[in-house]
Amino acid sequence: MSVEHVARWALVGIAIVGLAAGGVASFAGRPELAKLCWTLATIPVIVGLAIAIVRDFVAGRLGVDAIALISMSAALALGQPLAGAVVALMYAGGNVLEEIAVARAEGSLRALVDRAPRVAHHRIGERVEDTPVEQVEVGNLLIVKAGEVVPVDGNVISQSATIDESALTGEPIPVAKTKGGRVFSGTLNAGATFEISAAALAGDSTYAGIVKLVTAAQTAKAPFVRLADRYALFFLPFTCLIAFGAWLISGDIIRSLAVFVAATPCPLILAAPVAFIAGVAHSAGRGILVKGGGPLEALARGHTVLFDKTGTLTVGGARLLSIESAPGEDPDEVLKLGASLEQASHHVLASAIVQAAIERGLALNMPNQVKEEMGAGLQGLVGKQRVRAGSRDMIFAGRQIPEWARRADRRAEWRSALVVFVGVEGRPIGALLLADEIRADTPRAIRSLRDAGVKRIMMVTGDRAAAAQAIGAALDLDAVLSDCIPSDKVEAVRVEKQFHPTIMVGDGINDAPALASADVGIAMGARGASASSEAADVVILTDRIDRVGEAILIAKRARQIAVQSIVAGMGLSTLAMLAATMGWLAPVPAAIVQEVIDVAVILNALRALNLVRGGLRRGLGVATERELQLGHVELLRSLERLRSIADALDDAKEDEAAAMVVEANAVVQGQIVTHERDDEGNVYPELSKILRENHGLSAMSRAHREIQHVARLLGRAAADLSTQKIDRYLIHDAQRLIITLETLVRIHSAQEDDIYSAVGAQ
């Protein structure tokens, strides 16, 4: 407990006791004793306030606290100790009220620190010992009981674990971890007891990094709070002028005293700090750690936002984009065999391939006799088949490259992707295209920034120009700078800062200098502490880029509320002073009126704890959102089969082509049309209850009708092929319809995913 905290409560206690004792003495007919009690209640507050004013003056600040000092001193000098005691109680009580408000606002920050794990259950042989988390070493076997917080980062040894990662990611749905899966300190065991092998020391673990960042999040005075002090430089002489005018008009010095009392303590010293502290706390509750009021105020003024690409606008790792299968080959079989073999590889692409197969529910087989050729690929036995996966040169080994393989290379080049070819028993069967793709929430995040008032959005990346320009065009960014080294990013930030307040968003070590150079640096720190997190003013603790726009909205709201509170407080104080000038308010009632104004100002400032959400009535629910998006994952498999059929139609014989068109029609009618009708009949009516404006939903319904129209045309083409002599032109028409459907449904599903994410996160 700090000395300042004790002093504040002590002054309130002295003021209450002195005021009460004086009241008893006055009631008992001892007016002189009553005045003495009130005087003694006022003097300690005057002394404490005088010390604070001198300290602030030495630091170069002069605020409206001086009005409180003048009013209390004048009250004692003019023989009005009751007014002085009331002002003393109101001023000291206002400081305590501010402290209580700050404590409430900072609760979200303290909650993060308080839940940090302190003890780990260390298993040594057959016995278990409780060990301080600081003594845990890498490789120790730890038991995490049901309902406990994971003490350090580690890998699951048990067959499975159910983890609540909401403290780190903000997502309330528990995540299932399989054997070997990574768990992070600070997450909660939402299932049965499981074991982990410690993979990091306590001080290096994820939650320890977050605690360090929280500790650094001090609610220092923001530049806007200093702006409030500049308001005070105007308000102090203004108050003195009105007090002097009251004395000239009435010739009664007591009216001047009432004017000073009505202006004390001014909302200027309460509104801005409470509003910004509340904004910082509200941000923390949304997984956004703002390191004090200064960065929050700077966020509110943001005009230009610069983004790093990899790991910020994109997922930051390889993802399977598509499967290009050879004619007559099953895409799922290509992925299954490739992923089975890649389980034995430590290559950076191997885990992405394996993960893609697992997500599709493919049963993988463990490979044998695996041999890896550095820089080329690997081969081994999967079941009884010899499988190879790697570069084009490895798989084709000097043979002529077929058209489907050239097409895979061409598509990979267009999409800035890497290609892993797969072969079985010397026969190439397909290719896997992998790339660092745009985050699913990035387009929505860019729109939210525009909505938040950001005027210029740029991307600065070390990636080559072609890949960077493709992403910039897809996201409709204002400018793209490619082939940037860290110093280039710093220079880009400095150039933009010359014109407007600038925000930099990044996640890697190479982004740290640019983050530190910007007016506000925002780090994507879902994995805990890093150089970028330490250099940043704001850390996004969840793996969601759309939190950047939300942080700016919170900051703007906090600033707006601070301005409202200051202006309203000054206006009400001015009215009270004018009433005192006219003789309608004596010193004691004036003090009570001013305290009512102060309480109202603080309560208004605390509104910054909650961000009013426009456009939505209620949330769809995270569980429902995830279920809908899983439906799109299943739909994706159907779309990939359609694309494979469309590609194969180029070279297929007429009888084979007719069978492929019939198969494509069966996929479309049985899966795609059924899915879209279910959306229109069941999902969209629920969405219409959530969205305030349904114009966009009407456009999505129009897409449903277009999909069904093209599906009907494909159905007619398939029917004609089965009832008449096969026409090559009819096959070409069917091929175009298949390609149109595949493209249209992909775009439409991506748009729906954006809507589901937006309404599901509320």
Side-chain angles (χ1 to χ4, degrees):
M1 189 175 295
S2 66
V3 175
E4 186 175 357
H5 171 82
V6 173
R8 283 182 174 181
W9 283 93
L11 290 177
V12 170
I14 292 171
I16 291 175
V17 171
L19 195 60
V24 172
S26 177
F27 183 77
R30 302 285 300 276
E32 295 302 321
L33 180 59
K35 289 183 179 181
L36 177 62
C37 291
W38 292 330
T39 300
L40 294 176
T42 307
I43 290 175
V45 179
I46 291 176
V47 173
L49 180 55
I51 294 173
I53 289 176
V54 171
R55 185 176 63 235
D56 289 346
F57 184 77
V58 171
R61 298 191 301 270
L62 179 62
V64 290
D65 288 359
I67 300 176
L69 181 64
I70 292 173
S71 62
M72 286 186 287
S73 301
L76 295 184
L78 296 174
Q80 296 286 327
L82 176 58
V86 172
V87 172
L89 176 61
M90 298 305 179
Y91 179 78
N95 285 334
V96 169
L97 187 60
E98 179 187 0
E99 184 175 294
I100 293 173
V102 169
R104 178 192 166 190
E106 290 179 332
S108 298
L109 298 180
R110 288 198 306 274
L112 288 173
V113 179
D114 292 342
R115 74 186 302 279
R118 294 174 173 80
V119 176
H121 307 306
H122 183 194
R123 183 167 70 82
I124 306 173
E126 297 300 322
R127 74 179 193 276
V128 177
E129 294 182 356
D130 283 350
T131 304
V133 71
E134 296 81 8
Q135 297 178 15
V136 172
E137 298 179 358
V138 174
N140 284 169
L141 300 181
L142 307 178
I143 294 176
V144 183
K145 299 179 181 179
E148 288 187 342
V149 175
V150 177
V152 298
D153 291 358
N155 298 313
V156 177
I157 298 177
S158 305
Q159 289 301 315
S160 64
T162 303
I163 305 297
D164 177 359
E165 296 183 336
S166 59
L168 300 186
T169 67
E171 298 295 337
I173 303 299
V175 178
K177 300 283 184 178
T178 56
K179 186 174 182 178
R182 191 64 172 262
V183 293
F184 301 98
S185 62
T187 57
L188 184 71
N189 180 8
T193 298
F194 65 91
E195 284 189 75
I196 65 171
S197 174
L201 300 177
D204 299 327
S205 291
T206 300
Y207 206 76
I210 293 176
V211 170
K212 291 176 184 176
L213 295 174
V214 172
T215 303
Q218 301 297 324
T219 51
K221 257 195 172 182
F224 188 72
V225 177
R226 290 194 290 272
L227 177 63
D229 287 340
R230 290 197 292 273
Y231 274 117
L233 293 178
F234 151 77
F235 199 70
L236 178 58
F238 176 71
T239 300
C240 293
L241 183 63
I242 291 183
F244 182 69
W247 178 60
L248 286 180
I249 293 173
S250 65
D252 184 2
I253 195 66
I254 300 300
R255 286 197 184 185
S256 297
L257 173 61
V259 169
F260 277 112
V261 170
T264 310
C266 180
L268 280 171
I269 63 178
L270 302 174
V274 172
F276 281 116
I277 291 167
V280 169
H282 179 63
S283 299
R286 297 293 295 165
I288 306 164
L289 182 61
V290 184
K291 298 179 182 179
L296 192 75
E297 196 276 340
L299 268 178
R301 296 184 291 108
H303 175 281
T304 301
V305 176
L306 289 83
F307 283 99
D308 171 52
K309 180 180 79 69
T310 305
T312 304
L313 294 178
T314 64
V315 295
R319 294 290 188 277
L320 180 67
L321 297 184
S322 65
I323 304 170
E324 304 291 334
S325 57
E329 300 292 344
D330 181 5
D332 280 351
E333 187 67 14
V334 174
L335 177 58
K336 177 181 176 179
L337 292 174
S340 294
L341 184 60
E342 293 288 356
Q343 291 179 103
S345 174
H346 296 289
H347 193 275
V348 66
L349 299 180
S351 60
I353 295 173
V354 173
Q355 183 62 33
I358 293 174
E359 289 175 353
R360 293 176 183 231
L362 302 179
L364 304 184
N365 299 315
M366 287 304 299
N368 297 305
Q369 302 178 21
V370 178
K371 180 181 178 181
E372 187 161 4
E373 300 177 22
M374 297 303 295
L378 70 164
Q379 59 180 308
L381 289 177
V382 177
K384 296 182 179 181
Q385 302 182 94
R386 180 157 294 277
V387 179
R388 307 179 82 187
S391 66
R392 183 179 64 180
D393 292 340
M394 177 185 181
I395 300 302
F396 292 97
R399 290 178 293 178
Q400 184 177 1
I401 307 299
E403 178 58 34
W404 71 266
R406 287 198 295 269
R407 183 174 60 218
D409 277 334
R410 183 169 59 250
R411 287 174 173 172
E413 182 181 357
W414 289 347
R415 304 175 74 176
S416 299
L418 298 173
V419 186
V420 176
F421 286 94
V422 180
V424 177
E425 300 295 346
R427 184 183 83 258
I429 62 170
L432 307 175
L433 272 60
L434 301 104
D436 182 17
E437 61 182 346
I438 295 175
R439 288 172 177 260
D441 59 340
T442 296
R444 185 173 67 256
I446 299 299
R447 289 197 302 272
S448 71
L449 287 173
R450 304 285 190 193
D451 295 340
V454 173
K455 304 301 182 184
R456 180 171 169 81
I457 303 177
M458 300 174 56
M459 182 174 70
V460 288
T461 176
D463 204 351
R464 60 189 185 278
Q469 291 294 342
I471 291 177
L475 297 176
D476 193 25
L477 303 181
D478 298 306
V480 175
L481 301 179
S482 57
D483 298 308
C484 294
I485 60 176
S487 59
D488 295 331
K489 294 183 179 182
V490 172
E491 184 60 28
V493 169
R494 288 176 177 170
V495 169
E496 295 299 324
K497 281 179 63 177
Q498 294 177 3
F499 302 100
H500 300 288
T502 300
I503 300 167
M504 174 69 194
V505 186
D507 77 313
I509 294 175
N510 63 330
D511 298 322
L515 293 173
S517 300
D519 292 304
V520 180
I522 301 180
M524 300 300 296
R527 294 302 184 196
S530 66
S532 58
S533 297
E534 296 294 340
D537 304 294
V538 180
V539 181
I540 307 296
L541 299 178
T542 67
D543 193 26
R544 294 185 59 161
I545 189 67
D546 58 351
R547 289 289 194 262
V548 175
E550 188 169 348
I552 294 176
L553 285 174
I554 292 173
K556 285 181 177 268
R557 180 169 171 78
R559 189 179 192 275
Q560 181 184 35
I561 288 174
V563 171
Q564 290 173 352
S565 298
I566 287 173
V567 172
M570 290 176 62
L572 292 173
S573 294
T574 300
L575 291 176
M577 287 188 289
L578 292 176
T581 300
M582 300 302 295
W584 299 339
L585 280 179
V588 174
I592 296 173
V593 168
Q594 182 56 51
E595 182 60 17
V596 172
I597 294 173
D598 293 337
V599 171
V601 163
I602 290 177
L603 293 177
N604 183 67
L606 282 174
R607 289 192 300 118
L609 280 169
N610 301 297
L611 183 64
V612 175
R613 302 180 184 278
L616 296 171
R617 294 189 180 98
R618 58 179 176 81
L620 183 66
V622 176
T624 304
E625 171 203 351
R626 184 162 298 182
E627 180 182 349
L628 292 171
Q629 291 181 338
L630 284 176
H632 283 169
V633 172
E634 292 296 322
L635 196 63
L636 181 62
R637 302 178 66 177
S638 300
L639 296 178
E640 289 179 350
R641 181 55 188 156
L642 288 182
R643 186 163 67 178
S644 297
I645 291 174
D647 291 341
L649 285 173
D650 287 335
D651 304 315
K653 296 179 180 179
E654 291 183 351
D655 290 342
E656 294 174 345
M660 290 178 183
V661 172
V662 171
E663 180 189 352
N665 181 59
V667 171
V668 169
Q669 304 300 334
Q671 298 173 42
I672 293 176
V673 172
T674 299
H675 176 89
E676 302 303 339
R677 284 175 176 168
D678 180 67
D679 279 355
E680 186 68 29
N682 299 316
V683 178
Y684 280 28
E686 291 300 315
L687 287 176
S688 66
K689 299 175 184 177
I690 298 172
L691 299 170
R692 293 185 185 278
E693 299 292 340
N694 288 321
H695 306 304
L697 203 58
S698 298
M700 299 296 286
S701 292
R702 175 69 178 84
H704 281 165
R705 294 194 294 273
E706 184 63 25
I707 290 170
Q708 292 176 26
H709 171 65
V710 178
R712 281 194 295 271
L713 295 179
L714 179 61
R716 290 183 59 182
D720 288 344
L721 283 170
S722 63
T723 59
Q724 65 183 38
K725 183 178 178 180
I726 296 174
D727 183 346
R728 173 57 63 178
Y729 292 104
L730 181 57
I731 291 174
H732 286 167
D733 288 341
Q735 184 184 37
R736 283 193 290 270
L737 290 171
I738 293 170
I739 294 172
T740 299
L741 267 173
E742 189 258 348
T743 303
L744 181 58
V745 174
R746 280 185 187 274
I747 295 173
H748 179 67
S749 297
Q751 293 170 329
E752 284 184 332
D753 280 340
D754 276 351
I755 295 176
Y756 298 159
S757 295
V759 299
Q762 304 307 314

